[in-house]
């Protein structure tokens, strides 16, 4: 039996203060003005037959099944394209309409394969359903002659199986245009079209290309929109229709898409984006919708393992033996080297509950504050900068807020690759007329793509963000564009005056800063004027802002710019950090930093420590602990020798890889809890199997502060969820953790964290998701922050003096390397590399401008050595006009690439966030891998060989 289908209202909901009342089959119904007759009918429980209509797309009116009769009008208008009017009398069920609908359906069926019983859509096919609804009992036209499915027909097209995730069978296409419209309206890629005319019309990717050769980004919107088996997930073709569904949250980027995992037994058949998802509204990307196969990949390690030395073979052991061994080693190290000789690292890929328990273990069981998180190496400047200026360490808006923006400024972010579902929403608003300012050293897709062109592309030099943002503020102040009424009412006037006088100095003008930014002063002035005067203006930024030596300063500058122009505290505006991983926001909220307890409260605050002492029975230490770089330094000094690392691959993701490796080699007990033998696990002494997002309960918090449920879809392959493993380790260390379900952990978080006071699993199930703060003042959450006043009371302006990075070009290293992501891969690639996504991107490449390539004799596809002060690696070259001369770019998804072998230890002045985005390098043609890459391959093979020979099959 197939799953019950959600109600489809046929056309999108409309928002209007005006309402109209009409009669449909004698039933009065009141709807917002602009609502279609089809939707109005469904609102009163009357389903009108349809094929080309669906409530995620604008009405099209091509299938002619939804015809109705309207009193006083001639003919039979399509209900999907007819707008409801006051007093309208509509009939949806009459003998004449039934006859017309049967005739239309008869024509469809006369040119459609009649293999329903063996079709992959059997039980979940709208064409099949509508045939039954209209009461079609015979097809009078016969099946002979020219058709779209007869194997002898000259127009027969083979199935397109090129895409690894879905199949395209043109013989079953009814040319309803839903897939084409989904690609245009929902995704915004415009990769599909209808080629041919009349009988020869068919859906065509690109210029009649296979899907994999077209511009299709495999978001799956076309597959979801298809009412037949024309476009079908290969998972459904292989496994059949699902038996149940579980609503959960995607474990990839910071958008936090909601999905219905459709399951057969314990097998996930497909992931369907939930229409009720507050962040994604039924849309998804290639990763979230299709790249979940890593969860059952053969590389999964599902048995605990231990060893004395990283040169020894791994020994499979029981859970109890592994836990007790890890605990005894930590106790031994602390007894010999002191309380502060061990620590832990949390992960932004883990749930809030799991992260909370790891930091609790460090503080209560280890007895120190030596806890840090991968979130610090990406967005810690966001926490610092926004806390200082606005009073809260998080973004201000919902994703939906972008639909009310008139001016959108994207700085150091690439939403269409890094946050693709939000990128699609942003593109929709841009197609509606919003203006776009892009601040990026590289020409990202948003600069120019179908029906979108940036008003301004400020192609700055890497490392000059502060100079750029301060010079924009100079224009606002000196040209009289300050929103003075907002500043006087909402901000500290004294801090504003100091800041105003600072940015107004001639040395902060676009003309003076041009030597640092490389951006023409006229372009900066035009962008600043547009931002200040163009209506609602919103700023969206990413790691291209934070991963700099002045990352915190730039975040402060962004907040200054938003405040001085009055673009805070309502829809369509705000300061919006685009978080890179699924739970970056949550890992910060949960107290993963060595200086902060959950809720961003400093460990030095005595009242906060007493609160946690009462709850935990142990008082946290008043002094901040070690950050990850400090842990490495201490390890090299012999004072930090034990590490518990859950869900994070610091060897691949942290800068200066060779230094990280040396630090781990110096430790006596490294405990890694993960799905795979990742790069860090190769230096471990204890391996504790982790559980994927499909195997656990918990919550994630996305970039808009939205807390969403993660629900267990299948049993954990290793027998335990991650939170259970942490509890076992804590108990073995002598500090009791006795939870029976993650909901109890969340209840504890809510009791101890003011912004979470109103959060519970019961409340999340009721509301779907909640945006914190959620407490007595905001029982249903806070979609938009700082509406009446800032969290800190008055907004605080801070000076943003530009200090050039110490990482500068020279004769030896004349180029600047910057890094980023690509759509098909995610972070260190541990998940996506174990899926078919590698068909799009199977290696990291170095993008280089044609002029720089020519002077070095480099051609497309050549192997090139990239050398910095920290090290050297070798990648294949991609010659690209996207780059500006003097700047090269690569991704970091493949460990053998060694992207972080060449990044340096430079970091943000306030948070130690690494300066990944600025590394001085030289690039030369080479013929063999670097020395590090050769050592890496030998070491990795050795570590794989040390795994147990008999691996369990998954």
């Amino acid at each position: 039996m197939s799953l019950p289908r959600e109600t489809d209202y046929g056309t999108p909901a409309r928002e209007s203060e005006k309402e109209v009342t009409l009669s449909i089959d004698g039933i009065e119904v009141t709807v917002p003005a602009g609502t279609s007759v089809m939707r109005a009918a469904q609102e009163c429980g009357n389903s009108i037959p349809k094929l080309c209509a669906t409530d995620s797309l604008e009405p099209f009116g091509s299938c002619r099944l939804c015809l109705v009769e309207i009193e006083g009008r001639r003919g039979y208008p399509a209900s999907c394209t007819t707008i409801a009017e006051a007093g309208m009398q509509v009939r949806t069920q009459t003998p004449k309409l039934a006859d017309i609908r049967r005739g239309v359906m008869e024509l469809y069926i006369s040119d459609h394969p009649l293999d329903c019983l063996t079709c992959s859509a059997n039980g979940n096919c709208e064409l099949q359903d509508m045939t039954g609804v209209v009461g079609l009992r015979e097809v009078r036209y016969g099946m002979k002659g020219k058709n779209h499915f007869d194997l002898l027909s000259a127009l027969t097209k083979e199935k397109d199986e090129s895409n690894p995730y879905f199949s395209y069978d043109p013989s079953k296409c009814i040319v309803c245009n839903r897939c084409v419209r989904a690609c245009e309206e929902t995704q915004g890629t415009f990769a599909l079209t209808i080629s041919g005319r009349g009988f020869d019309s068919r859906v065509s990717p690109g210029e009649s290309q296979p899907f994999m050769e077209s511009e299709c980004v495999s978001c799956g919107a076309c597959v979801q929109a298809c009412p037949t088996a024309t476009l079908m997930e290969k998972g459904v073709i292989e496994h059949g229709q699902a038996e149940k569904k579980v609503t959960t949250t995607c474990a990839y980027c910071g958008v936090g898409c909601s999905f219905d995992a459709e399951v057969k037994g314990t097998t996930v058949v497909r992931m369907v984006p939930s229409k009720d998802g507050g962040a994604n509204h039924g849309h998804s990307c290639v990763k979230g919708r299709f790249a979940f196969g890593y969860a059952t990949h053969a590389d999964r390690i599902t048995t605990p393992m231990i060893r004395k030395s990283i040169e020894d073979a791994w020994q499979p052991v029981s859970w109890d033996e592994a836990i007790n061994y890890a605990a005894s080693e930590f106790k031994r190290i602390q007894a010999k080297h002191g309380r502060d000789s061990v620590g832990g690292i949390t992960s932004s890929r883990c749930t809030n509950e799991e992260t909370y328990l790891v930091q609790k273990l460090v503080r209560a069981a280890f007895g120190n504050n030596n806890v840090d998180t991968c979130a610090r190496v990406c967005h810690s400047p966001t926490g610092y900068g926004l806390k200082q200026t606005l009073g809260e360490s998080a973004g201000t808006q919902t994703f939906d807020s972008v639909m009310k923006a008139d001016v959108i400024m994207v700085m150091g972010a690439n939403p269409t690759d890094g946050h693709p579902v939000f990128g699609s929403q942003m593109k929709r608003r841009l197609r509606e007329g919003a203006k776009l300012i892009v601040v990026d050293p590289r020409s990202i897709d948003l600069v120019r793509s179908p029906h979108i062109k940036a008003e301004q592309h400020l192609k700055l030099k890497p490392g000059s963000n502060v100079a750029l943002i301060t010079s924009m503020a100079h224009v606002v102040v000196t040209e009289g564009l300050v929103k003075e009424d907002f500043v006087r009412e909402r901000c500290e006037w004294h801090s504003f005056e100091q800041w105003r006088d600072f940015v107004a100095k001639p040395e902060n003008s676009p003309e003076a800063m041009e030597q640092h930014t490389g951006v023409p002063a006229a372009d900066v002035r035009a962008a600043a004027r547009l931002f200040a005067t163009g209506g609602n203006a919103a700023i969206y930024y990413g790691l291209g802002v934070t991963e700099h030596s002045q990352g915190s300063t730039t975040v402060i500058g962004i907040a200054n710019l938003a405040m001085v122009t009055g673009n805070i505290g309502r829809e369509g505006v705000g300061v919006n950090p685009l978080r890179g991983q699924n739970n970056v926001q949550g890992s910060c909220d949960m107290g993963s930093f060595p200086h902060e307890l959950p809720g961003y409260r400093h460990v030095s605050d005595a009242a906060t420590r007493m609160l946690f002492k009462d709850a935990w029975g142990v008082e946290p230490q008043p002094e901040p602990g070690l950050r990850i770089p400090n842990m490495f330094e201490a390890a090299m000094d012999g004072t930090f020798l034990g590490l518990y690392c859950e869900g994070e691959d610091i060897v691949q993701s942290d800068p200066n890889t060779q230094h990280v490796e040396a630090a781990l080699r110096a430790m006596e007990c490294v405990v890694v809890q993960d799905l795979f033998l990742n790069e860090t696990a190769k230096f471990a002494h204890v391996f504790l199997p982790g559980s994927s997002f499909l195997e656990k309960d918990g919550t994630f918090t996305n970039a808009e502060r939205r807390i969403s449920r993660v629900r267990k879809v299948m049993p954990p392959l290793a027998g335990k969820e991650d939170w259970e493993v942490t509890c076992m380790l804590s108990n073995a260390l002598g500090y009791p953790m006795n939870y029976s379900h993650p909901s109890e952990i969340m209840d504890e978080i809510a009791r101890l964290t003011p912004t979470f006071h109103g959060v519970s699993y019961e409340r999340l199930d009721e509301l779907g998701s909640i945006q914190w703060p959620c407490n007595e003042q905001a029982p249903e959450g806070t979609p938009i922050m700082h509406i009446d006043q800032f969290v800190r009371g008055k907004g605080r302006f801070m000076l943003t003096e530009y200090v050039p990075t110490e990482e500068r070009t020279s004769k030896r290293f004349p180029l600047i390397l910057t890094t980023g992501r690509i759509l098909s891969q995610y972070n260190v690639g541990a998940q996506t590399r174990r899926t078919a996504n590698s068909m799009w991107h199977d290696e990291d490449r170095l993008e280089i401008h044609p002029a720089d390539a020519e002077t070095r004799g480099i051609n497309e596809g050549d192997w090139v050595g990239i050398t910095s002060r920290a090290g050297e690696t070798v990648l294949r070259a991609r010659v690209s006009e996207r780059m500006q001369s003097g700047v090269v770019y690569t991704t970091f998804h493949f460990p053998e690439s060694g992207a972080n072998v060449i990044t340096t230890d430079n970091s943000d002045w306030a948070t130690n966030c690494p300066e990944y985005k600025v590394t001085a390098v030289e690039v030369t043609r080479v013929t063999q891998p670097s020395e590090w890459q050769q050592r890496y391959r030998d070491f990795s093979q050795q570590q794989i060989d040390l795994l147990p020979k008999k691996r369990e099959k998954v």
Side-chain angles (χ1 to χ4, degrees):
M1 174 179 283
S2 59
L3 295 170
R5 203 169 297 159
E6 293 182 4
T7 299
D8 188 327
Y9 291 84
T11 61
R14 303 302 184 195
E15 294 182 5
S16 176
E17 295 181 0
K18 181 182 177 182
E19 292 185 331
V20 296
T21 299
L22 65 160
S23 173
I24 299 178
D25 295 329
I27 301 172
E28 280 201 352
V29 58
T30 300
V31 294
T35 301
S36 70
V37 168
M38 174 180 283
R39 189 176 182 98
Q42 187 65 62
E43 293 279 4
C44 65
N46 191 338
S47 298
I48 299 175
K50 61 185 181 298
L51 278 175
C52 72
T54 182
D55 56 17
S56 63
L57 301 172
E58 292 299 317
F60 194 61
S62 70
C63 75
R64 316 313 292 171
L65 268 188
C66 72
L67 306 182
V68 294
E69 294 178 358
I70 300 176
E71 191 170 305
R73 293 195 185 182
R74 297 176 58 188
Y76 305 94
S79 61
C80 64
T81 56
T82 301
I83 303 303
E85 298 176 4
M88 186 179 272
Q89 302 287 319
V90 180
R91 291 183 292 275
T92 70
Q93 305 293 335
T94 68
K96 182 61 178 176
L97 290 173
D99 190 47
I100 293 173
R101 289 169 182 161
R102 278 193 293 271
V104 171
M105 184 58 71
E106 190 175 1
L107 291 171
Y108 277 118
I109 297 302
S110 72
D111 191 26
H112 193 82
L114 298 180
D115 59 348
C116 293
L117 294 179
T118 57
C119 178
S120 58
N122 187 22
N124 191 17
C125 174
E126 292 180 48
L127 183 67
Q128 194 178 63
D129 292 346
M130 291 303 105
T131 302
V133 166
V134 303
L136 182 63
R137 297 294 175 261
E138 64 174 335
V139 179
R140 295 167 293 174
Y141 305 112
M143 311 298 288
K144 296 181 180 180
K146 191 176 182 182
N147 58 60
H148 290 100
F149 61 87
D150 192 330
L151 292 177
L152 299 178
S153 171
L155 290 177
T156 293
K157 301 290 183 183
E158 295 288 337
K159 288 184 182 180
D160 180 356
E161 303 282 4
S162 63
N163 190 286
Y165 296 123
F166 60 84
S167 172
Y168 171 46
D169 184 355
S171 71
K172 296 186 177 181
C173 179
I174 59 173
V175 199
C176 64
N177 266 283
R178 274 166 56 166
C179 60
V180 176
R181 291 148 55 208
C183 190
E184 295 175 359
E185 297 176 25
T186 306
Q187 171 57 28
T189 298
F190 294 81
L192 302 181
T193 188
I194 300 295
S195 65
R197 292 290 182 269
F199 184 82
D200 294 334
S201 298
R202 62 184 296 272
V203 173
S204 170
E207 298 178 4
S208 298
Q209 301 164 294
F211 267 89
M212 284 297 284
E213 295 177 16
S214 73
E215 294 180 346
C216 169
V217 294
S218 297
C219 68
C222 59
V223 181
Q224 187 166 344
C226 181
T228 69
T230 306
L231 289 159
M232 178 61 71
E233 295 97 335
K234 290 183 177 178
V236 175
I237 296 172
E238 179 182 356
H239 299 294
Q241 296 294 329
E243 300 167 342
K244 64 176 181 178
K245 68 177 181 180
V246 180
T247 301
T248 190
T249 304
C250 180
Y252 281 117
C253 77
V255 174
C257 295
S258 178
F259 278 90
D260 292 330
E262 296 191 356
V263 185
K264 196 168 190 175
T266 59
T267 299
V268 178
V269 175
R270 64 177 172 183
M271 299 289 284
V272 179
S274 172
K275 288 166 61 175
D276 296 327
N280 60 316
H281 306 297
H283 190 35
S284 64
C285 77
V286 62
K287 295 188 289 288
R289 189 191 292 264
F290 295 123
F292 55 86
Y294 70 88
T296 52
H297 194 274
D299 286 350
R300 281 286 299 272
I301 298 176
T302 57
T303 300
M305 304 184 300
I306 63 174
R307 60 182 176 178
K308 292 286 186 181
S309 162
I310 66 170
E311 308 298 328
D312 296 338
W314 284 103
Q315 300 299 315
V317 294
S318 67
W319 274 106
D320 286 342
E321 188 174 351
I323 292 292
N324 289 332
Y325 178 74
S328 67
E329 284 293 282
F330 285 136
K331 289 178 181 178
R332 177 187 64 78
I333 292 169
Q334 286 189 298
K336 183 177 180 180
H337 299 280
R339 182 188 63 197
D340 296 331
S341 58
V342 299
I345 296 176
T346 73
S347 172
S348 297
R349 290 191 285 276
C350 293
T351 66
N352 287 316
E353 294 77 6
E354 291 159 358
T355 302
Y356 174 84
L357 288 191
V358 172
Q359 65 83 33
K360 181 178 180 180
L361 179 148
V362 171
R363 292 186 160 109
F366 286 168
N368 61 48
N369 286 316
N370 292 340
V371 62
D372 205 354
T373 176
C374 59
R376 190 190 50 75
V377 303
C378 59
H379 264 287
S380 51
T382 287
Y384 180 86
L386 297 187
K387 186 79 169 180
Q388 294 295 314
T389 52
L390 309 183
E392 192 57 89
S393 302
T396 63
Q397 312 294 118
T398 65
F399 287 137
D400 288 349
S401 169
V402 75
M403 299 308 293
K404 300 290 180 65
D406 302 305
V407 178
I408 299 169
M409 181 165 136
V410 177
M411 185 173 188
N414 188 3
T416 56
D417 276 18
H419 305 83
V421 170
F422 174 66
S424 293
Q425 187 175 27
M426 180 184 288
K427 287 193 292 184
R428 186 156 66 249
R429 178 58 186 153
L430 293 172
R431 293 196 300 273
E432 292 175 354
K435 304 296 184 183
L436 175 65
I437 302 166
V438 173
V439 183
D440 201 288
R442 185 168 170 262
S443 294
I444 61 174
D445 287 344
L446 281 177
V447 172
R448 183 186 290 272
S449 57
H451 303 282
I452 291 170
K453 185 178 183 297
E455 200 78 8
Q456 293 289 337
H457 178 200
L458 307 182
K459 206 167 187 175
L460 78 174
K461 297 175 183 177
S464 62
N465 286 337
V466 172
L468 189 284
I469 206 77
T470 302
S471 63
M472 288 184 69
H474 174 93
V475 176
V476 173
V477 166
T478 58
E479 295 190 6
L481 305 179
V482 174
K483 190 75 170 175
E484 190 168 321
D485 56 344
F486 179 91
V487 174
R488 285 189 177 276
E489 178 186 353
R490 299 287 305 276
C491 304
E492 295 174 352
W493 187 254
H494 176 66
S495 71
F496 167 71
E497 288 181 315
Q498 287 184 320
W499 174 81
R500 178 195 60 198
D501 293 345
F502 164 75
V503 297
K505 292 178 179 179
E507 57 263 36
N508 288 322
S509 69
E511 289 74 17
M513 287 297 190
E514 185 173 337
Q515 63 175 317
H516 301 294
T517 65
V519 181
D523 292 349
V524 176
R525 287 189 176 276
R529 291 165 187 153
L530 176 61
F531 187 87
T533 65
N536 286 341
I539 303 173
Y540 295 88
Y541 69 89
L543 306 186
V545 162
T546 57
E547 290 179 345
H548 287 270
S549 61
Q550 280 201 290
S552 293
T553 312
T554 307
V555 174
I556 290 168
I558 287 171
N560 289 340
L561 186 62
M563 288 189 292
V564 76
T565 56
N567 283 302
I568 290 278
R570 62 184 186 277
E571 285 194 300
V573 299
V575 177
N576 304 278
L578 296 176
R579 309 290 193 168
Q581 298 181 59
N582 52 298
N583 203 33
V584 168
Q585 183 67 59
S587 66
C588 299
D589 299 340
M590 293 299 103
S592 294
F593 294 126
H595 65 289
E596 287 178 334
L597 290 159
Y600 304 98
R601 289 163 291 176
H602 203 278
V603 294
S604 63
D605 182 72
T608 299
R609 291 200 313 277
M610 287 302 103
L611 176 69
F612 281 87
K613 179 183 178 182
D614 291 342
W616 292 355
V618 175
E619 182 181 351
Q621 294 297 311
E623 296 297 326
L626 300 177
R627 292 170 174 169
I628 292 174
N630 308 129
M631 294 180 191
F632 295 157
E633 292 300 328
M636 299 299 287
D637 292 339
T639 59
F640 185 88
L641 299 171
L643 179 67
Y644 174 39
C645 184
E646 182 188 71
E648 180 57 19
D649 194 355
I650 51 177
V651 171
Q652 189 179 344
S653 63
D654 279 43
N656 197 344
T657 299
Q658 296 178 89
H659 179 62
V660 178
E661 292 174 342
L664 289 175
R665 286 180 185 274
M667 296 184 194
E668 295 179 3
C669 182
V670 176
V671 178
V672 168
Q673 186 172 326
D674 217 299
L675 304 179
F676 309 105
L677 189 78
N678 62 19
E679 304 311 304
T680 305
K682 293 170 184 175
F683 294 87
H685 307 90
V686 179
F687 185 91
L688 303 175
S691 52
S692 73
F693 81 110
L694 295 171
E695 304 160 52
K696 63 178 70 174
D697 284 296
T699 57
F700 293 149
T701 306
N702 76 348
E704 49 174 1
R705 297 169 284 103
R706 185 182 302 278
I707 308 164
S708 300
R709 281 280 279 113
V710 178
R711 295 181 177 88
K712 189 188 299 185
V713 175
M714 61 188 191
L717 298 186
K720 297 188 183 300
E721 298 179 41
D722 285 310
W723 66 271
E724 294 177 294
V725 178
T726 303
C727 288
M728 290 177 67
L729 180 58
S730 183
N731 289 332
L733 288 165
Y735 179 78
M737 286 189 188
N738 298 308
Y739 306 95
S740 61
H741 191 268
S743 60
E744 297 174 4
I745 306 171
M746 177 53 73
D747 291 341
E748 181 175 314
I749 294 167
R751 288 193 299 272
L752 294 173
T753 310
T755 51
F756 277 66
H757 274 345
V759 179
S760 67
Y761 280 28
E762 181 181 9
R763 196 73 170 133
L764 287 167
D765 290 342
E766 177 186 346
L767 297 177
S769 61
I770 297 172
Q771 289 175 266
W772 68 258
C774 176
N775 46 33
E776 295 77 9
Q777 292 74 39
E780 294 191 359
T782 310
I784 307 294
M785 293 192 72
H786 315 298
I787 291 178
D788 298 316
Q789 67 174 14
F790 292 103
V791 172
R792 70 182 309 276
K794 295 282 189 178
R796 178 188 180 194
F797 287 87
M798 298 179 68
L799 306 190
T800 54
E801 183 177 354
Y802 172 60
V803 179
T805 174
E806 295 178 2
E807 184 68 11
R808 303 177 191 180
T809 56
S810 63
K811 289 183 178 180
R812 185 181 174 195
F813 303 114
L815 302 173
I816 287 292
L817 169 73
T818 190
T819 61
R821 298 182 178 181
I822 200 163
L823 171 64
S824 59
Q825 297 290 347
Y826 170 69
N827 200 258
V828 297
Q831 295 150 272
T832 44
R833 280 187 281 109
R834 290 176 170 92
T835 70
N837 278 30
S838 291
M839 290 180 65
W840 286 277
H841 187 80
D842 61 358
E843 63 177 331
D844 294 316
R845 291 201 173 200
L846 185 81
E847 288 190 17
I848 184 169
H849 189 271
D852 294 326
E854 184 178 4
T855 60
R856 290 163 175 80
I858 294 170
N859 298 309
E860 178 75 18
D862 283 351
W863 290 104
V864 294
I866 309 102
T867 308
S868 74
R869 295 177 180 89
E872 179 186 7
T873 194
V874 172
L875 300 174
R876 210 189 301 267
R878 173 169 289 139
V879 181
S880 172
E881 293 279 0
R882 281 179 174 238
M883 304 313 302
Q884 56 179 287
S885 182
V887 179
V888 293
Y889 168 90
T890 190
T891 52
F892 52 91
H893 305 301
F894 293 81
E896 63 271 21
S897 299
N900 281 324
V901 171
I902 49 180
T903 53
T904 69
D905 288 331
N906 285 1
S907 63
D908 174 54
W909 63 271
T911 66
N912 274 146
C913 180
E915 191 173 37
Y916 291 114
K917 304 305 182 190
V918 183
T919 304
V921 298
E922 177 58 293
V923 177
T924 55
R925 285 184 65 186
V926 298
T927 57
Q928 61 183 9
S930 69
E931 290 184 13
W932 177 88
Q933 286 172 313
Q934 294 179 51
R935 291 199 308 271
Y936 166 80
R937 291 172 186 175
D938 293 342
F939 177 70
S940 290
Q941 188 58 55
Q942 176 194 34
Q943 290 299 314
I944 292 170
D945 292 342
L946 292 174
L947 286 171
K949 298 302 179 184
K950 292 185 178 180
R951 298 270 304 284
E952 60 265 70
K953 293 182 180 179
V954 178

